[in-house]
mmCIF file of all heavy atoms in Angstrom:
data_model
loop_
_atom_site.group_PDB
_atom_site.id
_atom_site.type_symbol
_atom_site.label_atom_id
_atom_site.label_comp_id
_atom_site.label_asym_id
_atom_site.label_seq_id
_atom_site.Cartn_x
_atom_site.Cartn_y
_atom_site.Cartn_z
ATOM 1 N N SER U 198 30.733 17.861 6.720
ATOM 2 C CA SER U 198 31.102 16.452 6.606
ATOM 3 C C SER U 198 30.910 16.008 5.161
ATOM 4 O O SER U 198 31.515 14.990 4.759
ATOM 5 C CB SER U 198 30.307 15.533 7.506
ATOM 6 O OG SER U 198 30.503 15.908 8.860
ATOM 7 N N ALA U 199 30.031 16.653 4.288
ATOM 8 C CA ALA U 199 29.902 16.301 2.998
ATOM 9 C C ALA U 199 31.173 16.306 2.208
ATOM 10 O O ALA U 199 31.356 15.664 1.145
ATOM 11 C CB ALA U 199 28.863 17.140 2.378
ATOM 12 N N ARG U 200 32.218 17.161 2.618
ATOM 13 C CA ARG U 200 33.428 17.236 1.906
ATOM 14 C C ARG U 200 34.117 15.814 1.916
ATOM 15 O O ARG U 200 34.753 15.480 0.896
ATOM 16 C CB ARG U 200 34.380 18.285 2.670
ATOM 17 C CG ARG U 200 33.781 19.596 2.738
ATOM 18 C CD ARG U 200 34.669 20.600 3.595
ATOM 19 N NE ARG U 200 33.985 21.721 3.950
ATOM 20 C CZ ARG U 200 34.544 22.750 4.537
ATOM 21 N NH1 ARG U 200 35.791 22.732 4.938
ATOM 22 N NH2 ARG U 200 33.816 23.874 4.844
ATOM 23 N N CYS U 201 33.989 15.170 2.918
ATOM 24 C CA CYS U 201 34.619 13.801 3.022
ATOM 25 C C CYS U 201 33.727 12.795 2.341
ATOM 26 O O CYS U 201 34.136 11.924 1.623
ATOM 27 C CB CYS U 201 34.783 13.382 4.473
ATOM 28 S SG CYS U 201 35.755 14.427 5.488
ATOM 29 N N VAL U 202 32.402 12.885 2.536
ATOM 30 C CA VAL U 202 31.439 11.869 1.994
ATOM 31 C C VAL U 202 31.437 11.918 0.461
ATOM 32 O O VAL U 202 31.486 10.926 -0.272
ATOM 33 C CB VAL U 202 30.016 12.089 2.635
ATOM 34 C CG1 VAL U 202 29.079 11.004 2.042
ATOM 35 C CG2 VAL U 202 30.072 11.911 4.129
ATOM 36 N N GLU U 203 31.334 13.203 -0.045
ATOM 37 C CA GLU U 203 31.347 13.274 -1.555
ATOM 38 C C GLU U 203 32.567 12.857 -2.224
ATOM 39 O O GLU U 203 32.605 12.253 -3.254
ATOM 40 C CB GLU U 203 30.987 14.820 -1.905
ATOM 41 C CG GLU U 203 29.577 15.170 -1.512
ATOM 42 C CD GLU U 203 29.309 16.726 -1.685
ATOM 43 O OE1 GLU U 203 30.106 17.315 -2.440
ATOM 44 O OE2 GLU U 203 28.393 17.240 -1.046
ATOM 45 N N ALA U 204 33.704 13.146 -1.480
ATOM 46 C CA ALA U 204 35.024 12.758 -1.996
ATOM 47 C C ALA U 204 35.263 11.247 -1.963
ATOM 48 O O ALA U 204 36.217 10.809 -2.643
ATOM 49 C CB ALA U 204 36.100 13.508 -1.236
ATOM 50 N N LEU U 205 34.438 10.496 -1.253
ATOM 51 C CA LEU U 205 34.550 9.044 -1.255
ATOM 52 C C LEU U 205 34.136 8.358 -2.633
ATOM 53 O O LEU U 205 34.641 7.346 -3.033
ATOM 54 C CB LEU U 205 33.741 8.440 -0.185
ATOM 55 C CG LEU U 205 34.402 8.391 1.251
ATOM 56 C CD1 LEU U 205 33.302 7.891 2.234
ATOM 57 C CD2 LEU U 205 35.557 7.480 1.254
ATOM 58 N N THR U 206 33.243 9.063 -3.283
ATOM 59 C CA THR U 206 32.617 8.523 -4.496
ATOM 60 C C THR U 206 33.643 8.189 -5.557
ATOM 61 O O THR U 206 33.626 7.038 -6.122
ATOM 62 C CB THR U 206 31.491 9.442 -4.984
ATOM 63 O OG1 THR U 206 30.520 9.565 -4.047
ATOM 64 C CG2 THR U 206 30.854 8.836 -6.295
ATOM 65 N N PRO U 207 34.551 9.055 -5.945
ATOM 66 C CA PRO U 207 35.495 8.746 -7.000
ATOM 67 C C PRO U 207 36.457 7.589 -6.535
ATOM 68 O O PRO U 207 36.959 6.871 -7.333
ATOM 69 C CB PRO U 207 36.303 10.039 -7.203
ATOM 70 C CG PRO U 207 36.019 10.876 -6.038
ATOM 71 C CD PRO U 207 34.689 10.508 -5.545
ATOM 72 N N ILE U 208 36.690 7.492 -5.164
ATOM 73 C CA ILE U 208 37.556 6.334 -4.768
ATOM 74 C C ILE U 208 36.863 5.027 -5.003
ATOM 75 O O ILE U 208 37.445 4.076 -5.466
ATOM 76 C CB ILE U 208 37.821 6.557 -3.246
ATOM 77 C CG1 ILE U 208 38.695 7.852 -3.025
ATOM 78 C CG2 ILE U 208 38.607 5.309 -2.659
ATOM 79 C CD1 ILE U 208 38.933 8.218 -1.576
ATOM 80 N N LEU U 209 35.510 4.982 -4.759
ATOM 81 C CA LEU U 209 34.747 3.831 -4.939
ATOM 82 C C LEU U 209 34.715 3.562 -6.422
ATOM 83 O O LEU U 209 34.794 2.361 -6.785
ATOM 84 C CB LEU U 209 33.346 4.029 -4.350
ATOM 85 C CG LEU U 209 33.170 4.050 -2.890
ATOM 86 C CD1 LEU U 209 31.790 4.431 -2.465
ATOM 87 C CD2 LEU U 209 33.478 2.621 -2.281
ATOM 88 N N ILE U 210 34.474 4.526 -7.241
ATOM 89 C CA ILE U 210 34.448 4.373 -8.701
ATOM 90 C C ILE U 210 35.794 3.734 -9.195
ATOM 91 O O ILE U 210 35.806 2.748 -9.971
ATOM 92 C CB ILE U 210 34.156 5.656 -9.448
ATOM 93 C CG1 ILE U 210 32.737 6.089 -9.132
ATOM 94 C CG2 ILE U 210 34.434 5.489 -10.962
ATOM 95 C CD1 ILE U 210 32.385 7.522 -9.683
#
Side-chain angles (χ1 to χ4, degrees):
S198 295
R200 302 175 192 184
C201 303
V202 180
E203 292 171 20
L205 277 174
T206 298
I208 297 173
L209 289 170
I210 292 172

